[in-house]
Amino acid sequence: MENVVPPPGPETAPAAPQTLTCSQCATPVTIPAGETIARCPACGAHVGGGPGVRFGTGWRIAIAANVALMLVIGLALLIGLNWLANRYFFRRDATFSKKYTLSERTVKLLEHLATTKKKVQIYLIQAEMDGRTHQALQHTLQLLEEYQARCRDNVAYEPLDYTLADLKKVAELTKIPNIRELERNEVIFYCANNSKTKRIGFGELYEAPPSPMGGDDSEAREFKFKGDSALAAGIESVIDDTPTKVYYVTGHGEYGKDDWDIFGIAQFDKRLHSKENYESAELNLATKLNVPADASAVLIVRPRTPFAPNEMEALRKYLDGGGRALILLNPTPEIYEGDTPKIDDLIAYLESWGITVGKDVAAERDPEHTQRPVALGLNGQLIGESTGPMVFTVTEYGYHDITRPLQGVGTWFFAARSVSRMQQPPEGITVTELASTTANGLGMPENKAGEKVPISDCRPGPISVAACAEKGGTEPGAAKTRIVVIGDADGIGNEAHKGGAMSELAIASLRWLVNKEFLNTADPVVEDQPKLQTPVGKDRRVVLVFSVFLMPVMFLSLGAVVWFLRRK
């Protein structure tokens, strides 16, 4: 603590030394001639000063050095913080619903884009739009800022007004290959490295939930923003030099990609095009005899009649040569007739890959895994319905790249056949069970699936309902065969696909099959915005008493205490 604060005034100093007493410790302190202040040797307090105080040369140098040091430290901190901000990027999404938080899949995609050294230019062509479209545009622009912040050397975006103001720029875009004319309110992705383009409408950035009352009330309903997945799919489609094309095998009663009935897979195929950016076609091995060379994978969905020898040979040749296949099978009577399998060649071939397709139906006895949610009650409770033991949800997954996005997520199976790993797979083949029932599950004999079956006749759980096999690829450039078999084909049907069901497992399997397993990451859960609810009953009385009586009394009491303390 200093004893004297030098006031402003003319600079004067005594010509002879003077001795003063320290007010802190009563120690005599001698102030040299020409100085007006000194430090006490006992306690360190400043002694001296008064009207006309003048700091000596030593004090001036010390003060100047102190100020200079503070400036240097401040500048060093500023430079250090700027360096850290550029080297270690950090942004925080403060919205309640986390709608600007990038999914783990998108983060992986941007990291992959950075390694490719490609640059994606994104154009947002805007024109007159309604409130929903304008909201989608604003959310998209903020999301693209996040993309660019994470990958600024590889992602750039530019909003363009489809009016005279940007007419010249819009005309320049039409000179880009594959862009001959523009649509209003659309997003264009363009990669100059390979001249690939992708276009989506602003309407694809939002998803409207189904109306609970029916009819057209889209303006009154809240829309879910899905721009992250739509933009990521657009970027992925233009940086991929080789298109991903899957073939649906036909000719044996399989589901077709254009089937729109309840068990058809048109919705599944639509997702492959719109979100996964796959191309698809049908393949009849009876006429083609060989799997096309541009096939990234083949899909066999619910075959019900035998494969001809030449068809089986074409499939075997493709897979043995490093091909990829996703096979979805249903229980009998579609596969077995009595004790004879209708597709015995296919089942026997899967045995050679270490995968056993059982002649049974998986069932679940745990009630928590057979209660299917159907609605939310007025007070937020879950309303469910019992589905029976053969329609169940799986939460037990094997450790694999396919199941990474499914951890903690339930996958519904609709009367699934057991698909398991052989006790001793052939040498060089790695087989992994992907999904299974709980320990309370059972493998029911197939010919008794509709009857009451004694427990002694059933195989104890857990029962595996999906498995994958992998072989080869140990040498650089060597082809690696991958096969996924799932014991339920109805789970990706049009009706089941609306609720997710087993389609997520099938999509994750396809990503692994076509070497895009880096996209197998869980999307963030988007929470609903909080809504203000008016208190009723007892809650209303509590709010009334607290706000009208308790709060005023509390503040009055606090004011009285402060007044009393100040008076003292």
Side-chain angles (χ1 to χ4, degrees):
M1 176 177 180
E2 299 185 5
N3 297 321
V4 178
V5 177
E11 297 185 352
T12 60
Q18 58 178 334
T19 301
L20 300 177
T21 302
C22 178
S23 62
Q24 299 294 321
C25 62
T27 301
V29 179
T30 300
I31 300 177
E35 300 289 343
T36 59
I37 191 171
R39 186 180 295 275
C40 176
C43 65
H46 287 160
V47 179
V53 168
R54 182 180 64 137
F55 288 103
T57 304
W59 283 101
R60 290 180 179 179
I61 294 175
I63 292 173
N66 184 62
V67 172
L69 180 61
M70 292 299 103
L71 289 175
V72 170
I73 292 176
L75 183 61
L77 287 175
L78 186 62
I79 295 174
L81 289 175
N82 187 60
W83 180 81
L84 289 174
N86 282 276
R87 185 174 179 86
Y88 302 100
F89 173 80
F90 176 77
R91 290 164 71 98
R92 184 176 182 273
D93 185 359
T95 60
F96 180 84
S97 60
K98 301 299 180 185
K99 59 186 174 184
Y100 304 124
T101 298
L102 303 184
S103 67
E104 192 177 350
R105 169 191 171 178
T106 301
V107 173
K108 293 286 187 182
L109 176 63
L110 294 178
E111 292 175 352
H112 174 68
L113 174 60
T115 62
T116 63
K117 306 299 183 182
K118 295 179 180 178
K119 185 171 183 178
V120 177
Q121 180 71 39
I122 303 174
Y123 300 98
L124 297 99
I125 313 299
Q126 52 185 306
E128 295 182 2
M129 59 189 80
D130 56 22
R132 295 295 185 188
T133 307
H134 179 73
Q135 186 180 12
L137 173 63
Q138 296 305 313
H139 289 345
T140 302
L141 289 174
Q142 293 177 344
L143 197 60
L144 286 173
E145 287 185 10
E146 298 294 327
Y147 278 48
Q148 196 173 45
R150 287 183 174 271
C151 200
R152 64 178 69 253
D153 295 332
N154 305 88
V155 176
Y157 70 95
E158 182 178 1
L160 296 175
D161 194 350
Y162 198 89
T163 61
L164 293 177
D166 289 330
L167 194 58
K168 183 177 180 181
K169 182 64 178 179
V170 169
E172 291 177 0
L173 285 180
T174 59
K175 298 178 182 179
I176 297 177
N178 303 323
I179 303 180
R180 295 185 177 180
E181 59 182 33
L182 302 178
E183 298 289 339
R184 302 184 179 208
N185 298 328
E186 70 170 347
V187 183
I188 299 177
F189 303 84
Y190 173 64
C191 180
N193 303 81
N194 54 18
S195 298
K196 293 188 67 175
T197 59
K198 169 77 174 179
R199 307 165 77 158
I200 62 174
F202 283 1
E204 298 181 48
L205 303 174
Y206 263 78
E207 178 180 347
S211 172
M213 304 301 294
D216 185 13
D217 60 343
S218 59
E219 288 297 325
R221 287 180 281 135
E222 294 183 357
F223 278 46
K224 178 183 177 183
F225 183 61
K226 57 176 186 179
D228 187 23
S229 60
L231 294 175
I235 292 175
E236 182 192 352
S237 65
V238 297
I239 65 174
D240 192 359
D241 295 326
T242 304
T244 301
K245 189 170 185 178
V246 297
Y247 283 88
Y248 296 91
V249 175
T250 62
H252 317 91
E254 295 94 345
Y255 291 138
K257 73 184 189 71
D258 297 321
D259 291 340
W260 285 97
D261 59 14
I262 293 179
F263 297 110
I265 57 174
Q267 285 281 5
F268 180 78
D269 183 69
K270 181 180 178 181
R271 173 172 175 178
L272 293 186
H273 283 269
S274 62
K275 290 189 175 182
E276 303 299 323
N277 298 298
Y278 293 0
E279 298 177 8
S280 66
E282 293 186 344
L283 172 64
N284 191 327
L285 291 174
T287 58
K288 289 289 185 180
L289 300 180
N290 287 296
V291 177
D294 64 345
S296 303
V298 296
L299 277 75
I300 304 175
V301 186
R302 197 195 68 168
R304 289 179 289 176
T305 59
F307 283 68
N310 62 327
E311 293 178 302
M312 203 63 228
E313 179 60 29
L315 185 62
R316 182 181 292 107
K317 180 181 178 181
Y318 167 70
L319 292 176
D320 289 351
R324 313 293 171 90
L326 173 60
I327 303 172
L328 299 99
L329 306 174
N330 269 356
T332 64
E334 296 178 347
I335 292 182
Y336 279 86
E337 184 174 5
D339 290 331
T340 304
K342 294 181 180 180
I343 52 172
D344 51 349
D345 287 346
L346 180 59
I347 292 177
Y349 179 67
L350 293 177
E351 289 274 353
S352 69
W353 284 92
I355 298 177
T356 299
V357 179
K359 189 187 175 185
D360 55 9
V361 179
E364 181 61 75
R365 291 183 295 171
D366 188 338
E368 293 185 0
H369 289 75
T370 57
Q371 188 74 9
R372 186 183 184 189
V374 296
L376 285 176
L378 295 178
N379 58 353
Q381 86 277 11
L382 187 67
I383 298 176
E385 62 180 3
S386 179
T387 57
M390 288 188 294
V391 180
F392 55 89
T393 180
V394 165
T395 58
E396 306 289 336
Y397 302 102
Y399 184 77
H400 196 272
D401 286 337
I402 293 176
T403 59
R404 190 188 310 165
L406 303 176
Q407 300 299 329
V409 179
T411 300
W412 282 95
F413 281 80
F414 300 83
R417 170 179 299 282
S418 69
V419 178
S420 56
R421 175 183 182 273
M422 291 179 58
Q423 291 187 355
Q424 189 63 40
E427 185 178 355
I429 298 178
T430 303
V431 182
T432 305
E433 294 182 348
L434 300 175
S436 59
T437 68
T438 66
N440 291 325
L442 295 173
M444 299 173 58
E446 197 166 40
N447 58 350
K448 298 181 180 180
E451 307 172 6
K452 291 185 178 180
V453 182
I455 299 297
S456 58
D457 292 350
C458 298
R459 187 159 59 94
I463 304 298
S464 174
V465 290
C468 67
E470 185 176 30
K471 177 184 178 181
T474 56
E475 299 295 330
K480 181 183 293 185
T481 300
R482 290 178 172 179
I483 299 175
V484 178
V485 183
I486 301 175
D488 176 19
D490 294 338
I492 64 170
N494 294 323
E495 193 65 28
H497 182 77
K498 295 179 181 178
M502 201 203 65
S503 59
E504 296 302 323
L505 175 60
I507 291 293
S509 299
L510 272 176
R511 290 173 182 165
W512 178 71
L513 289 172
V514 300
N515 296 325
K516 293 185 179 180
E517 55 265 36
F518 68 93
L519 296 177
N520 273 344
T521 51
D523 291 333
V525 178
V526 179
E527 301 178 2
D528 294 330
Q529 294 286 351
K531 298 180 181 179
L532 182 63
Q533 296 182 350
T534 304
V536 295
K538 183 179 178 180
D539 294 338
R540 185 175 182 179
R541 290 192 295 272
V542 170
V543 172
L544 180 65
V545 171
F546 183 78
S547 60
V548 176
F549 297 104
L550 294 182
M551 286 186 66
V553 170
M554 181 177 64
F555 283 113
L556 286 174
S557 301
L558 182 61
V561 171
V562 172
W563 173 82
F564 180 76
L565 293 176
R566 287 185 174 180
R567 186 180 181 188
K568 292 178 62 177

